[in-house]
Amino acid sequence: MDVPALGAAEEPLLVSNCLALADSQWLSRRASASGRGDVRRLAPLVRLNRGTKLRRTRWGAKAGRRAPAGQCGMYRVLGPRPEMLFLVEFQYESLDDEDKHLHCDWGRLTSVNLAGRCIKVLGELPLLPCVSHLDLSYNQLASLGSLYAFPNLRSLNLAFNNFVTLVNMRSLPALESLNLSWNNIRNLLVVLKSLNKHAAALRCLQVCHNPVEDVLVGAHGRHLAARYLPRLAALDGEPVHLDASRNTLETLPMACLQLCPGLQRVDLSRNYLRAFPLLSGRPMHHLVFLDLSCNQLSSLCGVEEMTVLRELYLANNHIGALQDLQPLRKLQRLCVLDLTGNAVSEDANFKKFVVFHLRSLECVNGQEVVDGDLVAARETFGGCLDRDALLTQYTWRDLTHLVELHLPGASLRQVDLPGTLLPNLEVLDLSHNGLCCLWGLQHLPRLAMLDLGHNQVRSLRGPERPGCSGDCDADDGEVFPSLHTLYLDHNGLTSLQSLGLGSATRLRTLFLQHNQLDSVADLGHGDLRGLVLDGNHLDGAALLEAGRAGLLLHVRDLHLDGNHVHGPRGLDFLARTGSLARLFVAKNKLAEPADLEPLRQVPRLRELCLLGNPVCLRPRHFAHVRELLPDLAVLDGHPLGHPLDPQRYLCTAAPASPSLQPLATSPFAVTPVLPVPPVPVG
């Protein structure tokens, strides 16, 4: 075409910012002439000067309607003429009628932007299989009924709309990014469930700036999002999934983790990690999934800080013993644990150990946890009194100030209490349990009274149990440094040799009644002040052996009721006691007055009980004892010198009638039997 000179003044100069509008008249004439074939055109491109003035014309706009500024238009140049820069050649192509529909091939669209179009409803749309990005933000949409037209959609922007829920959402299996911010979503859980059903491959989700009512804490929202959308990597711009698997990492840079404090899932499998790097600087308090399979881990120290962890995969590492699994005991929310390919998984007690200490476990090494596993775990590892058991009932501050602890009948079978855990504990009652040793209590610094009655104690150290934390295994320090009183009654003891009571140097009162002891020569302790041996199988020879060993030298209270003391040598051990003040030998076999002659060896004796011995049936039994022990204050539970003193009665009272005369050989005919007072502790 001919291009007129820009400087010609006889015709007004028109410029346009739209090539189609500038050629509109020529195109209309071309269409009416039914022209065919390709036509080449030239268009000059001009530059407006600083002082150039333009006036918009109505050419190309509807009559009576002014086109908005910034849109296509024709302008009359009023000021200085513009300067032409260069010419552009372009070409129009003619199409047949049957090919005109190809001019706009919807099937080839890859991206659609309909932002800010005031769209309220998505109507029927043609199938658009190539569209991967769709922007519907800044509209008035409340429903997604027509998204079936985008089966391969990967990115969807629905921000600034009116969505309340996504219950009518269609399946979008390829969707990876979804923006739902600035809507009216109130129930986030319902939205996550819909996305779990229709967009399970979602990796990036934005739901900020919604009036959510069911989830008020951001950490809870990340947890729910990671739970319902397992492939989700980021929520509201914050990462929740870190995948660094199949690399050559030996350590993980802490700067990487500090930028992602809300991580929910971390995959570090198939690397060369030797320790848990996640906790060397900043704990991951929101981590629920951790995969460290196929690394070089030999220790689990550090995993105990991940208290919300639900899935832990540690297959094909170097975890060797149950002792190495102790840090796992803190993970009380753990549901899935995989340690296949580790030496520890070959241990016969492996599954029992993890099932017992992790009560929420549902799957171990790919096997479901059933009721039988729980029963077997309790039988093997149940009844342990340790730090973790106490922390379920007390706080650290409570344990620090605890003075007395009573746990009778608690089905305990093991104790593992370090001295630093209960620094002020003075009284501990563990009676009526199933304990078999004293170990685990030996380092409590202020423990003064220990009751282990009605247990199965046989030794100081018991058999080592698999997986024990070992807090009390160290032999350093004094054993039972403050223990004063020890109850070991009703334990079925047959020997004292393995108890090692001599190591408790401050022990002063020992209760060993109702066992099966026939010797106390292995007592190993010569500083006792009170010794209770009722209901055993001791005779005079066994007691004499203990006396010769100096074990009874400082004893003040000695209880021997219900033993086998008999004969004139039965009480010879009394010559080996230098401090005895109270002696109880009731229900033995002392039959003759001569059997009591050794009582002369203990002139300081103040209380004596002989009830239940045949010698008590002898005439003038009380008088004979008074002759042997003139300073005796209490005999068979009766204070001597009392108005009901049996000695006074037998010396002065006369029977009224021979037929009503009480048996003179039995003091029980005139005096009621009073109970034996208990031995004072200490």
Side-chain angles (χ1 to χ4, degrees):
M1 59 173 282
D2 296 332
V3 181
L6 294 179
E10 59 276 7
E11 294 183 5
L13 180 62
L14 299 177
V15 296
S16 174
N17 59 355
C18 179
L19 186 60
L21 184 60
D23 264 357
S24 59
Q25 292 184 354
W26 182 86
L27 287 173
S28 61
R29 292 195 304 268
R30 178 73 177 176
S32 62
S34 300
R36 301 279 305 169
D38 297 340
V39 180
R40 294 181 179 274
R41 300 276 291 170
L42 290 177
L45 295 183
V46 299
R47 180 175 62 185
L48 301 178
N49 297 321
R50 182 180 299 273
T52 301
K53 296 182 180 180
L54 301 177
R55 176 181 295 176
R56 187 181 184 89
T57 67
R58 294 185 177 274
W59 189 8
K62 294 183 179 180
R65 180 178 178 183
R66 187 178 182 86
Q71 294 187 4
C72 295
M74 296 293 292
Y75 301 88
R76 183 186 299 275
V77 179
L78 301 179
R81 294 297 180 114
E83 176 184 0
M84 185 175 70
L85 298 179
F86 50 83
L87 294 176
V88 177
E89 182 181 9
F90 61 97
Q91 177 178 329
Y92 289 98
E93 294 183 358
S94 301
L95 299 176
D96 297 332
D97 293 339
E98 60 272 14
D99 296 332
K100 288 184 178 180
H101 66 280
L102 297 177
H103 184 65
C104 190
D105 191 356
W106 298 102
R108 297 181 182 181
L109 283 176
T110 59
S111 179
V112 176
N113 188 343
L114 297 174
R117 300 292 180 174
C118 300
I119 301 173
K120 296 182 178 180
V121 178
L122 285 178
E124 294 294 330
L125 296 175
L127 186 63
L128 302 174
C130 295
V131 174
S132 60
H133 302 280
L134 176 60
D135 189 350
L136 292 171
S137 59
Y138 295 93
N139 285 289
Q140 302 176 21
L141 293 171
S143 175
L144 293 175
S146 297
L147 284 184
Y148 62 86
F150 308 96
N152 298 315
L153 196 62
R154 298 180 59 187
S155 175
L156 178 59
N157 188 353
L158 298 175
F160 293 93
N161 278 280
N162 297 325
F163 287 100
V164 176
T165 182
L166 300 178
V167 292
N168 59 346
M169 183 177 180
R170 300 297 182 93
S171 178
L172 296 173
L175 189 63
E176 296 181 355
S177 176
L178 175 61
N179 188 348
L180 287 171
S181 57
W182 297 98
N183 278 276
N184 293 322
I185 297 174
R186 299 181 181 274
N187 195 328
L188 179 61
L189 187 58
V190 173
V191 172
L192 292 176
K193 289 181 178 179
S194 298
L195 294 176
N196 172 263
K197 182 178 180 181
H198 302 292
L202 201 63
R203 296 183 58 83
C204 181
L205 175 63
Q206 295 187 27
V207 291
C208 57
H209 303 292
N210 279 281
V212 177
E213 297 177 349
D214 58 341
V215 179
L216 303 180
V217 182
H220 296 173
R222 288 191 296 272
H223 171 73
L224 292 173
R227 177 180 178 184
Y228 287 99
L229 301 171
R231 299 185 182 180
L232 192 68
L235 177 66
D236 292 334
E238 185 173 349
V240 297
H241 184 193
L242 172 64
D243 188 353
S245 60
R246 299 177 183 272
N247 285 287
T248 58
L249 295 175
E250 296 183 3
T251 59
L252 190 64
M254 287 308 301
C256 174
L257 297 176
Q258 290 174 354
L259 295 176
C260 311
L263 279 174
Q264 301 279 325
R265 303 169 64 88
V266 174
D267 187 354
L268 297 172
S269 59
R270 300 183 182 276
N271 281 282
Y272 296 91
L273 299 175
R274 298 181 180 274
F276 273 82
L278 301 177
L279 302 180
S280 59
R282 183 170 184 174
M284 308 302 293
H285 292 300
H286 306 295
L287 198 63
V288 297
F289 176 98
L290 177 61
D291 190 350
L292 287 168
S293 303
C294 302
N295 278 279
Q296 306 294 322
L297 298 176
S298 59
S299 172
L300 299 182
C301 293
V303 73
E304 63 273 9
E305 298 294 337
M306 305 178 187
T307 54
V308 299
L309 200 63
R310 297 179 63 86
E311 297 184 36
L312 178 60
Y313 298 89
L314 296 166
N316 299 310
N317 279 279
H318 303 304
I319 311 300
L322 294 180
Q323 181 70 25
D324 299 330
L325 302 182
Q326 289 294 331
L328 294 178
R329 298 173 65 177
K330 293 288 187 180
L331 310 183
Q332 291 302 314
R333 299 185 184 182
L334 197 65
C335 297
V336 178
L337 175 64
D338 185 9
L339 281 162
T340 54
N342 289 271
V344 68
S345 63
E346 304 297 329
D347 194 303
N349 292 310
F350 162 70
K351 189 173 184 180
K352 300 176 184 177
F353 179 84
V354 296
V355 169
F356 177 78
H357 291 292
L358 302 173
R359 304 301 175 87
S360 60
L361 269 183
E362 300 175 0
C363 181
V364 179
N365 286 3
Q367 299 179 357
E368 183 183 4
V369 177
V370 298
D371 293 340
D373 297 327
L374 298 175
V375 174
R378 282 194 294 266
E379 291 177 353
T380 305
F381 295 98
C384 181
L385 178 63
D386 57 5
R387 174 178 50 203
D388 296 329
L390 288 177
L391 287 176
T392 60
Q393 303 294 329
Y394 302 94
T395 64
W396 279 106
R397 180 179 179 85
D398 293 337
L399 294 178
T400 303
H401 296 87
L402 200 63
V403 177
E404 294 189 14
L405 180 60
H406 299 271
L407 294 171
S411 301
L412 299 176
R413 293 191 290 174
Q414 182 188 15
V415 179
D416 189 12
L417 298 178
T420 55
L421 182 64
L422 298 166
N424 295 304
L425 188 66
E426 299 179 1
V427 179
L428 179 58
D429 182 3
L430 297 177
S431 59
H432 296 273
N433 283 286
L435 301 175
C436 62
C437 66
L438 300 174
W439 206 250
L441 300 166
Q442 74 280 6
H443 293 317
L444 295 176
R446 301 187 64 178
L447 184 63
M449 196 281 285
L450 175 60
D451 188 351
L452 294 175
H454 295 271
N455 279 278
Q456 302 172 15
V457 176
R458 298 290 187 274
S459 62
L460 178 64
R461 281 182 177 271
E464 183 179 356
R465 303 185 72 190
C468 176
S469 63
D471 290 336
C472 297
D473 284 347
D475 292 329
D476 300 336
E478 187 179 0
V479 175
F480 295 107
S482 302
L483 188 62
H484 187 275
T485 303
L486 176 61
Y487 291 81
L488 287 173
D489 56 285
H490 298 86
N491 274 273
L493 289 168
T494 58
S495 173
L496 301 177
Q497 182 176 5
S498 58
L499 287 178
L501 296 177
S503 58
T505 57
R506 297 191 180 183
L507 186 62
R508 295 297 178 266
T509 306
L510 179 60
F511 292 83
L512 291 169
Q513 68 268 28
H514 299 290
N515 283 288
Q516 302 176 20
L517 297 172
D518 54 13
S519 174
V520 290
D522 298 325
L523 189 60
H525 205 297
D527 293 328
L528 292 175
R529 302 298 188 268
L531 181 58
V532 182
L533 295 167
D534 299 340
N536 283 282
H537 305 315
L538 299 172
D539 57 11
L543 295 170
L544 181 60
E545 183 182 5
R548 289 173 177 172
L551 302 178
L552 305 177
L553 187 61
H554 301 289
V555 174
R556 293 198 297 261
D557 294 345
L558 181 59
H559 292 248
L560 295 169
D561 297 347
N563 279 278
H564 298 160
V565 180
H566 65 282
R569 305 295 301 273
L571 297 178
D572 283 354
F573 68 90
L574 294 177
R576 304 288 179 171
T577 60
S579 304
L580 194 61
R582 304 174 69 203
L583 176 63
F584 300 87
V585 287
K587 297 182 181 180
N588 278 275
K589 300 177 180 179
L590 300 172
E592 302 295 334
D595 297 345
L596 304 181
E597 286 299 321
L599 291 174
R600 297 182 185 274
Q601 304 294 328
V602 284
R604 297 181 180 180
L605 199 64
R606 292 295 178 265
E607 183 174 354
L608 175 65
C609 182
L610 295 168
L611 292 174
N613 284 277
V615 71
C616 295
L617 302 177
R618 295 283 180 175
R620 300 183 59 80
H621 159 62
F622 280 90
H624 179 61
V625 174
R626 291 292 295 272
E627 292 175 1
L628 297 175
L629 299 169
D631 295 332
L632 193 66
V634 180
L635 178 59
D636 294 341
H638 302 288
L640 299 182
H642 191 271
L644 294 180
D645 184 352
Q647 176 64 23
R648 291 183 57 190
Y649 178 84
L650 293 176
C651 294
T652 60
S657 170
S659 60
L660 300 178
Q661 179 180 359
L663 294 175
T665 58
S666 176
F668 301 104
V670 294
T671 306
V673 180
L674 300 179
V676 179
V679 178
V681 177

